[in-house]
Amino acid sequence: MIMVISLLRSLLFSTILSFTIPIIAVGSILATLYTVSYVPGIACVGQIGATHIVGFLSIFGSGYPVQGILIIGGTFAIAGSLFDLFNFYVNQGSRGL
């Protein structure tokens, strides 16, 4: 029973972490580009970069950038949980349980 609780705790942690990391990464890149777009001389770099990232997210979100980042985060969460389950399976097999 303790092993199942440990598995579920690890699975929940890895799923939440795998969901939030891409959202934080893309959000910080967008925030940096929007901040750079207010600096004279390099404003066009920030505007063009932010436009491209929002366009990229809109592709995954059927026209909505927020939905696109949530879909990307959900995909990463599924992949992270599958890696965690695989790791549990490999370690369980090596211990002879």
mmCIF file of all heavy atoms in Angstrom, residues 61-84:
data_model
loop_
_atom_site.group_PDB
_atom_site.id
_atom_site.type_symbol
_atom_site.label_atom_id
_atom_site.label_comp_id
_atom_site.label_asym_id
_atom_site.label_seq_id
_atom_site.Cartn_x
_atom_site.Cartn_y
_atom_site.Cartn_z
ATOM 1 N N GLY A 61 -3.985 26.135 -30.777
ATOM 2 C CA GLY A 61 -5.220 26.425 -30.070
ATOM 3 C C GLY A 61 -6.387 26.769 -30.958
ATOM 4 O O GLY A 61 -7.359 27.376 -30.491
ATOM 5 N N SER A 62 -6.338 26.435 -32.215
ATOM 6 C CA SER A 62 -7.407 26.719 -33.171
ATOM 7 C C SER A 62 -7.777 28.198 -33.189
ATOM 8 O O SER A 62 -8.948 28.575 -33.177
ATOM 9 C CB SER A 62 -8.647 25.870 -32.868
ATOM 10 O OG SER A 62 -8.347 24.510 -32.914
ATOM 11 N N GLY A 63 -6.760 29.046 -33.169
ATOM 12 C CA GLY A 63 -6.977 30.474 -33.230
ATOM 13 C C GLY A 63 -6.889 31.191 -31.897
ATOM 14 O O GLY A 63 -6.945 32.408 -31.845
ATOM 15 N N TYR A 64 -6.773 30.459 -30.812
ATOM 16 C CA TYR A 64 -6.698 31.045 -29.475
ATOM 17 C C TYR A 64 -5.343 30.698 -28.841
ATOM 18 O O TYR A 64 -5.080 29.531 -28.552
ATOM 19 C CB TYR A 64 -7.821 30.521 -28.588
ATOM 20 C CG TYR A 64 -9.201 30.809 -29.140
ATOM 21 C CD1 TYR A 64 -9.956 29.802 -29.747
ATOM 22 C CD2 TYR A 64 -9.737 32.080 -29.062
ATOM 23 C CE1 TYR A 64 -11.209 30.063 -30.249
ATOM 24 C CE2 TYR A 64 -10.990 32.347 -29.562
ATOM 25 C CZ TYR A 64 -11.727 31.340 -30.165
ATOM 26 O OH TYR A 64 -12.970 31.603 -30.666
ATOM 27 N N PRO A 65 -4.501 31.703 -28.584
ATOM 28 C CA PRO A 65 -3.168 31.418 -28.028
ATOM 29 C C PRO A 65 -3.208 30.791 -26.635
ATOM 30 O O PRO A 65 -2.386 29.931 -26.322
ATOM 31 C CB PRO A 65 -2.485 32.783 -27.985
ATOM 32 C CG PRO A 65 -3.281 33.671 -28.854
ATOM 33 C CD PRO A 65 -4.647 33.110 -28.932
ATOM 34 N N VAL A 66 -4.157 31.199 -25.799
ATOM 35 C CA VAL A 66 -4.231 30.626 -24.445
ATOM 36 C C VAL A 66 -4.583 29.145 -24.515
ATOM 37 O O VAL A 66 -4.009 28.316 -23.798
ATOM 38 C CB VAL A 66 -5.254 31.405 -23.587
ATOM 39 C CG1 VAL A 66 -5.449 30.735 -22.243
ATOM 40 C CG2 VAL A 66 -4.814 32.840 -23.414
ATOM 41 N N GLN A 67 -5.509 28.811 -25.392
ATOM 42 C CA GLN A 67 -5.867 27.400 -25.566
ATOM 43 C C GLN A 67 -4.678 26.621 -26.121
ATOM 44 O O GLN A 67 -4.459 25.461 -25.758
ATOM 45 C CB GLN A 67 -7.060 27.278 -26.502
ATOM 46 C CG GLN A 67 -7.617 25.886 -26.621
ATOM 47 C CD GLN A 67 -8.855 25.834 -27.504
ATOM 48 O OE1 GLN A 67 -9.361 26.862 -27.944
ATOM 49 N NE2 GLN A 67 -9.336 24.647 -27.768
ATOM 50 N N GLY A 68 -3.878 27.241 -26.968
ATOM 51 C CA GLY A 68 -2.705 26.583 -27.527
ATOM 52 C C GLY A 68 -1.672 26.250 -26.465
ATOM 53 O O GLY A 68 -1.121 25.152 -26.449
ATOM 54 N N ILE A 69 -1.409 27.193 -25.553
ATOM 55 C CA ILE A 69 -0.428 26.903 -24.506
ATOM 56 C C ILE A 69 -0.960 25.858 -23.539
ATOM 57 O O ILE A 69 -0.197 25.046 -23.005
ATOM 58 C CB ILE A 69 0.023 28.195 -23.780
ATOM 59 C CG1 ILE A 69 1.234 27.918 -22.898
ATOM 60 C CG2 ILE A 69 -1.083 28.789 -22.964
ATOM 61 C CD1 ILE A 69 2.442 27.470 -23.605
ATOM 62 N N LEU A 70 -2.265 25.828 -23.308
ATOM 63 C CA LEU A 70 -2.832 24.787 -22.441
ATOM 64 C C LEU A 70 -2.744 23.409 -23.092
ATOM 65 O O LEU A 70 -2.498 22.406 -22.413
ATOM 66 C CB LEU A 70 -4.282 25.118 -22.082
ATOM 67 C CG LEU A 70 -4.471 26.321 -21.158
ATOM 68 C CD1 LEU A 70 -5.956 26.606 -20.962
ATOM 69 C CD2 LEU A 70 -3.793 26.091 -19.830
ATOM 70 N N ILE A 71 -2.919 23.360 -24.391
ATOM 71 C CA ILE A 71 -2.787 22.077 -25.104
ATOM 72 C C ILE A 71 -1.338 21.599 -25.073
ATOM 73 O O ILE A 71 -1.062 20.417 -24.850
ATOM 74 C CB ILE A 71 -3.318 22.204 -26.545
ATOM 75 C CG1 ILE A 71 -4.838 22.312 -26.512
ATOM 76 C CG2 ILE A 71 -2.870 21.033 -27.410
ATOM 77 C CD1 ILE A 71 -5.482 22.600 -27.831
ATOM 78 N N ILE A 72 -0.409 22.501 -25.273
ATOM 79 C CA ILE A 72 1.011 22.135 -25.206
ATOM 80 C C ILE A 72 1.362 21.669 -23.792
ATOM 81 O O ILE A 72 2.057 20.666 -23.606
ATOM 82 C CB ILE A 72 1.897 23.306 -25.656
ATOM 83 C CG1 ILE A 72 1.726 23.523 -27.159
ATOM 84 C CG2 ILE A 72 3.361 23.050 -25.326
ATOM 85 C CD1 ILE A 72 2.389 24.766 -27.686
ATOM 86 N N GLY A 73 0.876 22.389 -22.780
ATOM 87 C CA GLY A 73 1.112 21.974 -21.398
ATOM 88 C C GLY A 73 0.509 20.618 -21.088
ATOM 89 O O GLY A 73 1.116 19.787 -20.405
ATOM 90 N N GLY A 74 -0.696 20.359 -21.591
ATOM 91 C CA GLY A 74 -1.324 19.054 -21.379
ATOM 92 C C GLY A 74 -0.565 17.928 -22.055
ATOM 93 O O GLY A 74 -0.430 16.826 -21.500
ATOM 94 N N THR A 75 -0.034 18.197 -23.229
ATOM 95 C CA THR A 75 0.767 17.193 -23.928
ATOM 96 C C THR A 75 2.044 16.882 -23.160
ATOM 97 O O THR A 75 2.427 15.709 -23.015
ATOM 98 C CB THR A 75 1.091 17.682 -25.345
ATOM 99 O OG1 THR A 75 -0.131 18.013 -26.008
ATOM 100 C CG2 THR A 75 1.827 16.630 -26.125
ATOM 101 N N PHE A 76 2.694 17.924 -22.659
ATOM 102 C CA PHE A 76 3.897 17.711 -21.850
ATOM 103 C C PHE A 76 3.558 16.963 -20.569
ATOM 104 O O PHE A 76 4.354 16.134 -20.106
ATOM 105 C CB PHE A 76 4.561 19.054 -21.524
ATOM 106 C CG PHE A 76 5.533 19.528 -22.557
ATOM 107 C CD1 PHE A 76 5.108 19.909 -23.817
ATOM 108 C CD2 PHE A 76 6.877 19.596 -22.270
ATOM 109 C CE1 PHE A 76 5.990 20.356 -24.771
ATOM 110 C CE2 PHE A 76 7.785 20.047 -23.217
ATOM 111 C CZ PHE A 76 7.339 20.420 -24.474
ATOM 112 N N ALA A 77 2.393 17.236 -19.976
ATOM 113 C CA ALA A 77 1.989 16.550 -18.744
ATOM 114 C C ALA A 77 1.779 15.057 -19.001
ATOM 115 O O ALA A 77 2.194 14.216 -18.192
ATOM 116 C CB ALA A 77 0.717 17.173 -18.183
ATOM 117 N N ILE A 78 1.165 14.723 -20.109
ATOM 118 C CA ILE A 78 0.962 13.307 -20.449
ATOM 119 C C ILE A 78 2.305 12.618 -20.671
ATOM 120 O O ILE A 78 2.536 11.499 -20.176
ATOM 121 C CB ILE A 78 0.051 13.175 -21.684
ATOM 122 C CG1 ILE A 78 -1.375 13.600 -21.332
ATOM 123 C CG2 ILE A 78 0.061 11.750 -22.228
ATOM 124 C CD1 ILE A 78 -2.290 13.720 -22.528
ATOM 125 N N ALA A 79 3.208 13.284 -21.403
ATOM 126 C CA ALA A 79 4.530 12.700 -21.652
ATOM 127 C C ALA A 79 5.308 12.535 -20.347
ATOM 128 O O ALA A 79 5.951 11.503 -20.127
ATOM 129 C CB ALA A 79 5.315 13.561 -22.632
ATOM 130 N N GLY A 80 5.246 13.523 -19.469
ATOM 131 C CA GLY A 80 5.942 13.427 -18.180
ATOM 132 C C GLY A 80 5.404 12.323 -17.305
ATOM 133 O O GLY A 80 6.163 11.613 -16.638
ATOM 134 N N SER A 81 4.077 12.148 -17.302
ATOM 135 C CA SER A 81 3.510 11.070 -16.495
ATOM 136 C C SER A 81 3.853 9.703 -17.069
ATOM 137 O O SER A 81 4.095 8.752 -16.321
ATOM 138 C CB SER A 81 1.989 11.237 -16.379
ATOM 139 O OG SER A 81 1.382 11.135 -17.650
ATOM 140 N N LEU A 82 3.916 9.601 -18.391
ATOM 141 C CA LEU A 82 4.319 8.321 -18.996
ATOM 142 C C LEU A 82 5.772 7.987 -18.686
ATOM 143 O O LEU A 82 6.104 6.822 -18.423
ATOM 144 C CB LEU A 82 4.087 8.346 -20.501
ATOM 145 C CG LEU A 82 2.630 8.279 -20.947
ATOM 146 C CD1 LEU A 82 2.525 8.456 -22.456
ATOM 147 C CD2 LEU A 82 1.997 6.972 -20.518
ATOM 148 N N PHE A 83 6.644 8.986 -18.699
ATOM 149 C CA PHE A 83 8.040 8.748 -18.318
ATOM 150 C C PHE A 83 8.139 8.320 -16.858
ATOM 151 O O PHE A 83 8.941 7.448 -16.513
ATOM 152 C CB PHE A 83 8.890 9.995 -18.551
ATOM 153 C CG PHE A 83 9.323 10.175 -19.977
ATOM 154 C CD1 PHE A 83 9.093 11.379 -20.620
ATOM 155 C CD2 PHE A 83 9.960 9.165 -20.668
ATOM 156 C CE1 PHE A 83 9.486 11.563 -21.930
ATOM 157 C CE2 PHE A 83 10.362 9.338 -21.982
ATOM 158 C CZ PHE A 83 10.120 10.544 -22.612
ATOM 159 N N ASP A 84 7.325 8.924 -15.993
ATOM 160 C CA ASP A 84 7.354 8.547 -14.582
ATOM 161 C C ASP A 84 6.848 7.114 -14.388
ATOM 162 O O ASP A 84 7.421 6.355 -13.598
ATOM 163 C CB ASP A 84 6.517 9.521 -13.762
ATOM 164 C CG ASP A 84 6.696 9.300 -12.282
ATOM 165 O OD1 ASP A 84 7.855 9.263 -11.826
ATOM 166 O OD2 ASP A 84 5.671 9.161 -11.569
#
